[in-house]
């Protein structure tokens, strides 16, 4: 395990991630989300959301985030970890979605089908966030 991936060890085997993004005034906004971890050679976590979501807007302004394991309601179940988040391009988008689809089968496929039938997929562009451990200043 590398030093970078050691930071995300507390998230191994967890179903939910509490993602804290920051407003312009520095106030944190916490959101419980589904996530999938990349293989150990790339310490990244992937989260999907819509391009017009609050968390996506905040990450565009400031990529500094904090993450912690949590329950479905956002109750924190472990230590907070400083990290950096970014919206990824097409290749990494596909990788992140494959990992998320595999981890949350069949629930993710059911949600995709419902959003397709309801027309929400056409109204809201999906994006994938890559979250990586923050680089320490030491």
């Amino acid at each position: 395990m590398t030093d970078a991936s050691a930071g995300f060890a507390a998230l191994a085997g967890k179903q939910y991630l509490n993602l804290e993004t920051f407003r312009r005034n520095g106030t944190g906004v916490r959101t419980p989300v589904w996530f999938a971890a990349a293989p150990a050679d790339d310490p990244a976590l992937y989260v999907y959301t819509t391009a017009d979501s609050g968390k996506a807007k905040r990450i565009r302004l400031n990529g500094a985030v904090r993450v912690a394991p949590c329950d479905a309601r956002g109750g924190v179940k472990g230590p907070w970890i400083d990290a950096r988040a970014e919206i990824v391009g097409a290749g990494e988008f596909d990788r992140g979605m494959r990992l998320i689809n595999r981890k949350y089968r069949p629930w993710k496929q059911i949600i995709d089908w419902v959003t397709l039938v309801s027309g929400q997929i056409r109204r809201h562009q999906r994006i994938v966030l890559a979250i990586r451990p923050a680089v320490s200043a030491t």
Side-chain angles (χ1 to χ4, degrees):
M1 183 179 307
T2 66
D3 289 340
S5 62
F8 288 156
L11 302 169
K14 305 296 184 193
Q15 292 295 308
Y16 298 96
L17 173 76
N18 199 319
L19 173 62
E20 184 175 31
T21 56
F22 298 94
R23 293 184 174 136
R24 290 179 197 256
N25 67 7
T27 303
V29 179
R30 296 177 178 179
T31 310
V33 295
W34 279 352
F35 73 99
D41 62 331
D42 176 18
L45 305 174
Y46 293 103
V47 171
Y48 82 101
T49 187
T50 59
D52 59 351
S53 69
K55 62 186 147 302
K57 292 174 186 178
R58 290 185 293 274
I59 286 170
R60 283 187 193 97
L61 292 173
N62 179 5
V65 299
R66 292 189 331 148
V67 296
C70 69
D71 59 27
R73 292 180 168 212
V76 175
K77 301 292 184 188
W80 284 97
I81 303 161
D82 292 329
R84 299 283 310 163
E86 66 178 340
I87 298 168
V88 301
E92 202 169 4
F93 173 93
D94 292 340
R95 178 183 189 205
M97 288 304 290
R98 273 194 312 273
L99 290 167
I100 291 166
N101 286 335
R102 186 177 314 136
K103 181 175 180 181
Y104 293 99
R105 182 171 283 137
W107 304 112
K108 173 72 169 52
Q109 288 71 26
I110 293 168
I111 290 170
D112 286 348
W113 182 80
V114 170
T115 56
L116 179 66
V117 169
S118 69
Q120 290 182 24
I121 283 182
R122 290 185 294 276
R123 290 191 299 251
H124 300 284
Q125 177 191 3
R126 291 181 179 192
I127 60 169
V128 169
L129 307 173
I131 301 168
R132 293 185 170 84
V135 178
S136 63
T138 58

